[in-house]
Amino acid sequence: MSTKLNVIKIGGNVLDNVDNLERFLTDFALLPGLKVLVHGGGTIASEIGKKMGMEPIMINGRRVTDANTLHLVTMVYGGLLNKNLVAQLQARRCNALGLTGADANVIPAHKRPVKDIDYGFVGDVESPDQVNVPFLASLAQQGIVPVFAALTHDGEGNLLNTNADTIASTLAVALSRQFEVNLMYCFEKKGVLLDVHDATSVIHHLQPGYYQELKDKGVIFAGMLPKLDNSFAALEQGVKAVVIGDAADILDIVEGRKAGTRITL
Amino acid sequence: MSTKLNVIKIGGNVLDNVDNLERFLTDFALLPGLKVLVHGGGTIASEIGKKMGMEPIMINGRRVTDANTLHLVTMVYGGLLNKNLVAQLQARRCNALGLTGADANVIPAHKRPVKDIDYGFVGDVESPDQVNVPFLASLAQQGIVPVFAALTHDGEGNLLNTNADTIASTLAVALSRQFEVNLMYCFEKKGVLLDVHDATSVIHHLQPGYYQELKDKGVIFAGMLPKLDNSFAALEQGVKAVVIGDAADILDIVEGRKAGTRITL
């Protein structure tokens, strides 16, 4: 039986709220076993951008990463957020190490090809086969916990702004070759809801047949669809389970108590 | 005989000039054997601070790191500069990994005690004995090249702005327990000069007796004194040689050709 490893992704609702963040980091430090943290950006990049006189660049309603925006997210995600998360985990005796996909060439990517929109310095990750798993395994062996900022690189000197969910699923799939991986997406709700207006209507377990049924009925729609499609894709590539839930429930989720939406094949 | 390892520190005159930086990175990537890069900040932190409406904080003529300045240097040194150096080394097939002293708890430090001046969030490193050498040795074994931003942490959740020369000498001393370490300080001149007005008057070899003689004659003075005192201190703690010279000569220096000022006991 291979060793268990949890890949946990947090976003704005944890990063933007000091109390949520402190609680999450305390819980994360306590999680038993191997673990990897992936963080998005939250609102702080926009706030700092505003201070620097930058406005978000939008084309056809889509956010674009121009050179200045790339500098901004490199500073904020790769520097300010990442290094503070590391320092705060160290204070909780969790031996964290901050990484981007460029470091040790862990996550090679390429600039998203220009079709109708040029998204700018946005990265699409190469196959999970390209992830530097031996390096991550060596960290695991040393008890070192990787903390990933949502940046990759193209191997030609350019950093690339990259979707944090994608980084989490790519790492989870890649690590599945060597570990038994659970992937957790923390978001602002307790789980995937049966009724979007009832925060307590959490679906505890989702499998392909039931997912199809809920999609057909129109119960699951819009923003949840890509997240769930990506979750099932990760499962098909070897991830043991995906859990979507509240960062406040992370200890319950990891220790197998009923919390969040557990997605399996 | 233990394996050779070069610790190389670059500062503003490399970081602030695109041509110098490109050339240095190309040379650094070509250096044979084990190596560690340490970088200071250059002028870009001040430029970005200005854009954000920040002015350098000075007390009694000394620069102070208040909370906003710490955020700024964490963004710029730990994020923008460090991750771009990593990406640019990766493009040169040098498997770089960006680090601060907080990552993997590599360089524990403490906030400088307040005496006559409160320097703010400035770190004094603990003894070289506290450096996480096993982690750095594991990177070396994997062919991974650490790139250090001049930040440490206090183990209580605070990052600390830290002198890059000190980071370089602390790493060099710590690594000397396991490797044969050369420490190189790159600066704006070809080496330590016999005549400050003659850029070609480089002292090729400096040993304690000759250093004392030059100090007594007043040939070496002011800013060079702490740099050289620190160099001799590093040698006394096990570093094999310290070289002070021009980043443009780095290949000559490492390959033992006559360049820079070589300092030995």
Side-chain angles (χ1 to χ4, degrees), chain A residues 96-107:
Chain A
L97 169 71
L99 293 170
T100 68
D103 296 292
N105 196 24
V106 174
I107 313 175

Side-chain angles (χ1 to χ4, degrees), chain A residues 220-231:
Chain A
I220 292 177
F221 55 91
M224 279 314 294
L225 290 178
K227 224 180 180 72
L228 289 171
D229 287 339
N230 289 337
S231 300

Side-chain angles (χ1 to χ4, degrees), chain B residues 24-253:
Chain B
F24 172 77
L25 291 174
T26 298
D27 288 348
F28 182 82
L30 290 172
L31 290 182
L34 302 181
K35 49 202 174 187
V36 172
L37 182 61
V38 179
H39 64 88
T43 58
I44 190 166
S46 315
E47 284 166 26
I48 290 173
K50 259 186 211 158
K51 279 194 199 168
M52 293 174 66
M54 291 169 60
E55 288 294 329
I57 315 278
M58 310 289 281
I59 298 182
N60 297 347
R62 306 296 292 264
R63 189 182 286 265
V64 169
T65 302
D66 68 345
N68 280 333
T69 306
L70 180 66
H71 291 163
L72 178 68
V73 299
T74 303
M75 291 197 297
V76 177
Y77 303 170
L80 191 62
L81 282 172
N82 189 262
K83 297 309 173 185
N84 274 297
L85 289 172
V86 166
Q88 289 173 48
L89 285 170
Q90 288 286 346
R92 289 163 170 88
R93 302 297 166 257
C94 169
N95 196 8
L97 168 70
L99 293 171
T100 67
D103 297 293
N105 196 23
V106 174
I107 313 174
H110 57 269
K111 186 175 174 298
R112 183 170 300 168
V114 179
K115 289 180 191 162
D116 46 336
I117 298 179
D118 180 358
Y119 289 95
F121 294 100
V122 166
D124 288 330
V125 299
E126 308 292 348
S127 143
D129 297 335
Q130 302 294 313
V131 169
N132 189 348
V133 174
F135 172 64
L136 296 174
S138 127
L139 294 180
Q141 206 165 27
Q142 296 174 75
I144 295 173
V145 175
V147 177
F148 277 91
L151 294 162
T152 57
H153 77 135
D154 65 1
E156 293 166 19
N158 300 301
L159 294 163
L160 296 167
N161 194 5
T162 304
N163 182 281
D165 283 10
T166 306
I167 289 196
S169 65
T170 302
L171 289 170
V173 168
L175 289 163
S176 291
R177 281 89 199 254
Q178 197 159 339
F179 301 96
E180 182 186 312
V181 178
N182 284 329
L183 166 61
M184 289 168 215
Y185 291 117
C186 299
F187 79 148
E188 67 284 1
K189 291 174 188 150
K190 288 283 170 192
V192 183
L193 304 180
L194 257 183
D195 173 0
V196 75
H197 302 294
D198 177 1
T200 66
S201 66
V202 172
I203 300 166
H204 293 296
H205 192 194
L206 197 56
Q207 280 180 300
Y210 188 32
Y211 178 45
Q212 190 57 51
E213 191 186 321
L214 293 174
K215 274 202 291 191
D216 291 345
K217 284 185 187 162
V219 169
I220 292 175
F221 55 92
M224 279 315 295
L225 290 178
K227 225 180 180 75
L228 289 171
D229 286 339
N230 289 337
S231 299
F232 282 108
L235 295 172
E236 275 154 19
Q237 292 172 83
V239 173
K240 183 82 183 301
V242 179
V243 183
I244 299 183
D246 186 339
D249 297 331
I250 195 75
L251 278 172
D252 285 342
I253 289 171

